[in-house]
């Protein structure tokens, strides 16, 4: 038996984000409570918990937005001049803003991902990480940072004739280089890939990278004793790694690529050499549904593809035909210059045609990238920050509601027990398998000798007390209609 070909597998760890909408969580948990009064008290507690958590983060978010006003691409420089800030003051504000931003990213369950290097400002994150060191930073962390959250799978079924031909040509070329020994001279000795100690959290792979640096054997993963049994294993199916045969060469094939559900990019452009002052503007952009192999499209400067193997074959074949014809013409006794000129003109014209065809395809590629970025970009700048602030609030409200409900229903529990029970509830009630972040919820609960317990619903509402939002609702809608109108508004606008 031949050696079994290893599949290109990516292991994705479970996300800490709760994907269920808050209204659905409250509705499902309320239905599990017996007694009308208890149901009403629980709904009131959920509303008051959100109001309290929102007020809790209000000052932090307000400070972050005020700091970002100094670095907005449009009016940031003017704000710095108005406040008469020195470069040292701006550096302090810059580090403080990044610190706030990283805290918000962590609270909203975004994680740092990786990608190719690009010519961006190398001082922004270098200074920040020197003051606030973090583990497992990507190699380009001094230029820009990409945060990601959530995973998906993107599939496409087509014939991919050109891609298959290019793959065949590339494999033949690599075979020739291997047989002749030129592969070692051109590419050097292949470095042995270090096996990752932690699960691959969806690290990106660009088109220019060797797929073997990310793809791992499913056998290797199964043998790992420390793997999480609930981790998701996704196979990356690419034409470059696909075994081509007569059965699939001229038929339709399906390619598959894992995607990041949400991507946020933070960077600063490199200042021009003719500018005396360094540009201080920061760019924050928000994208959706980005394939891991297409991570370069979220960057401000895209890498253009080079000539395909088919283009190189056209050039080489044309050159060889022209050279052979010219040599053959020169070998005859009587050389006709006009024939040689005609041959060289034809060969040169064909090469020029191939080159301009490549340039036309490059323009089409750039147009496709522009359209893709336009379709996948959700927001930028202040809009992205406001979205993140609300994401933090919504996630923490869900965590507190679920944790409190588990303590009501199942009694006191340790941290590990509460974490497991919350995950079991999400899986049994909503069919979602996520890594519940119990630590955020426990910060709002009190413990007793390592165990957490809760008070009754009515007592919990009395402890929180009447919130400012309830007072405003009563003043706006009237005391009699406040409860009904508030509940209706919440049900309509909640998400």
């Amino acid at each position: 038996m031949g050696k079994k070909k290893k599949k290109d597998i990516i292991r994705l760890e479970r996300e800490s984000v709760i994907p269920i909408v808050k209204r659905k969580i409250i509705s499902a948990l309320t239905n599990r409570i017996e007694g009308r009064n208890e149901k009403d008290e629980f709904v009131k507690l959920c509303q008051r918990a959100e109001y309290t958590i929102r007020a809790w983060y209000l000052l932090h978010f307000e400070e972050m937005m005020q700091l970002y006003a100094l670095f907005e691409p449009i009016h940031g420089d003017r704000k710095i001049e108005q406040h008469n800030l020195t470069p040292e003051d701006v550096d302090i504000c810059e580090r403080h803003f990044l610190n706030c931003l990283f805290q918000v990213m962590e609270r909203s369950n975004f994680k740092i991902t990786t990608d190719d290097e690009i010519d961006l400002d190398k001082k922004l994150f270098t200074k920040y990480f020197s003051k606030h060191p973090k583990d497992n930073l990507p190699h380009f962390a001094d230029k820009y940072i990409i945060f990601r959250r959530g995973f998906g799978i993107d599939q496409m079924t087509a014939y991919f004739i050109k891609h298959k031909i290019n793959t065949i040509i590339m494999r033949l070329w690599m075979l020739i280089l291997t047989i002749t020994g030129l592969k070692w001279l051109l590419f050097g000795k292949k470095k042995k890939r270090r096996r990752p100690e932690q699960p691959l959290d969806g690290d990106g792979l660009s088109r220019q990278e060797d797929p073997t640096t990310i793809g791992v054997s499913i056998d290797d993963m199964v043998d790992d004793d420390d793997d999480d049994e609930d981790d998701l294993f996704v196979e990356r199916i690419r034409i470059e790694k696909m075994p081509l045969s007569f059965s699939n060469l001229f038929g339709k094939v399906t390619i598959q690529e894992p995607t990041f559900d949400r991507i946020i990019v933070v960077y600063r452009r490199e200042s021009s050499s003719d500018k005396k002052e360094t540009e201080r503007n920061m760019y924050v952009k928000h994208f959706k549904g980005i394939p891991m192999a297409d991570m370069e499209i979220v960057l401000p400067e895209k890498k253009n593809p080079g000539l395909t193997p088919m283009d190189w074959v056209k050039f080489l074949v044309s050159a060889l035909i022209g050279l052979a014809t010219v040599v053959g013409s020169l070998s005859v006794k009587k050389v006709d210059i006009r024939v040689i000129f005609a041959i060289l003109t034809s060969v040169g014209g064909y090469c020029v045609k191939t080159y301009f065809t490549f340039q036309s395809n490059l323009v089409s590629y750039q147009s496709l990238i522009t359209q893709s970025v336009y379709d996948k970009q959700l927001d930028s700048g202040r809009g992205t920050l406001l979205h993140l602030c609300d994401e933090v609030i919504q996630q923490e409200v869900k965590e507190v509601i679920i944790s409190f409900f588990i303590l009501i229903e199942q009694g006191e529990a340790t941290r590990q027990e509460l974490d497991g029970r919350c995950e079991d509830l999400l899986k049994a009630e909503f069919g979602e398998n996520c890594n519940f972040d119990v630590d955020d919820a426990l910060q709002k609960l009190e413990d007793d000798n390592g165990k957490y317990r809760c008070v009754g619903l009515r007592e919990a509402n009395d402890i929180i007390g009447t919130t400012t939002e309830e007072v405003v609702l009563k003043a706006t809608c009237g005391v009699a209609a406040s409860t009904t109108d508030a509940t209706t508004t919440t049900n309509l606008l909640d998400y």
Side-chain angles (χ1 to χ4, degrees), residues 266-492:
V266 185
Y267 66 94
R268 171 184 288 157
R269 294 186 182 276
E270 183 73 23
S271 300
S272 302
S273 57
D274 55 348
K275 290 184 179 181
K276 296 181 179 179
E277 298 182 356
T278 304
E279 182 181 353
R280 306 308 295 259
N281 298 332
M282 292 187 199
Y283 296 84
V284 183
K285 297 186 180 295
H286 191 188
F287 300 89
K288 66 174 182 178
I290 303 297
M292 294 183 184
D294 294 332
M295 286 291 293
E296 65 269 15
I297 70 174
V298 305
L299 302 177
E301 298 178 7
K302 313 298 186 295
K303 291 185 177 181
N304 293 325
L307 292 174
T308 64
M310 177 62 72
D311 294 329
W312 281 111
V313 168
K314 291 179 180 179
F315 275 118
L316 293 176
V317 170
S318 301
L320 291 176
I321 293 176
L323 180 61
T325 306
V326 171
V327 172
S329 301
L330 294 176
S331 63
V332 299
K333 296 181 179 180
K334 185 177 181 181
V335 179
D336 193 342
I337 302 298
R338 291 175 297 180
V339 174
I340 296 178
F341 179 77
I343 295 173
L344 293 177
T345 302
S346 300
V347 173
Y350 185 77
C351 293
V352 171
K353 176 181 177 296
T354 303
Y355 175 78
F356 280 108
T357 301
F358 165 75
Q359 292 295 326
S360 177
N361 294 335
L362 183 58
V363 172
S364 301
Y365 169 81
Q366 293 172 342
S367 176
L368 179 64
I369 292 297
T370 302
Q371 183 64 35
S372 178
V373 171
Y374 180 81
D375 293 337
K376 293 180 179 294
Q377 183 168 341
L378 296 176
D379 212 330
S380 62
R382 184 176 292 269
T384 298
L385 296 180
L386 291 173
H387 173 80
L388 283 173
C389 295
D390 192 69
E391 281 282 338
V392 172
I393 295 173
Q394 296 301 321
Q395 286 297 317
E396 299 226 356
V397 169
K398 296 175 188 177
E399 293 165 358
V400 169
I401 291 174
I402 294 174
S403 300
F404 194 86
F405 177 83
I406 288 295
L407 294 177
I408 291 177
E409 188 178 63
Q410 303 182 22
E412 65 179 21
T414 63
R415 176 191 173 280
Q416 292 78 8
E417 292 172 344
L418 182 59
D419 184 87
R421 293 175 185 178
C422 291
E423 292 179 358
D424 293 339
L425 174 66
L426 290 172
K427 189 172 184 179
E429 188 72 28
F430 307 101
E432 293 290 345
N433 191 6
C434 67
N435 182 20
F436 189 83
D437 193 355
V438 72
D439 292 330
D440 287 344
L442 293 181
Q443 293 178 7
K444 287 90 178 167
L445 302 175
E446 295 183 358
D447 67 306
D448 183 15
N449 296 326
K451 286 198 172 184
Y452 295 85
R453 59 173 59 93
C454 67
V455 299
L457 290 171
R458 185 179 297 275
E459 184 179 353
N461 281 318
D462 293 338
I463 292 175
I464 297 178
T466 303
T467 61
T468 305
E469 288 79 0
E470 291 176 298
V471 175
V472 172
L473 287 174
K474 288 182 180 179
T476 304
C477 305
V479 177
S482 62
T483 304
T484 303
D485 292 346
T487 303
T488 303
T489 303
T490 302
N491 291 337
L492 291 175

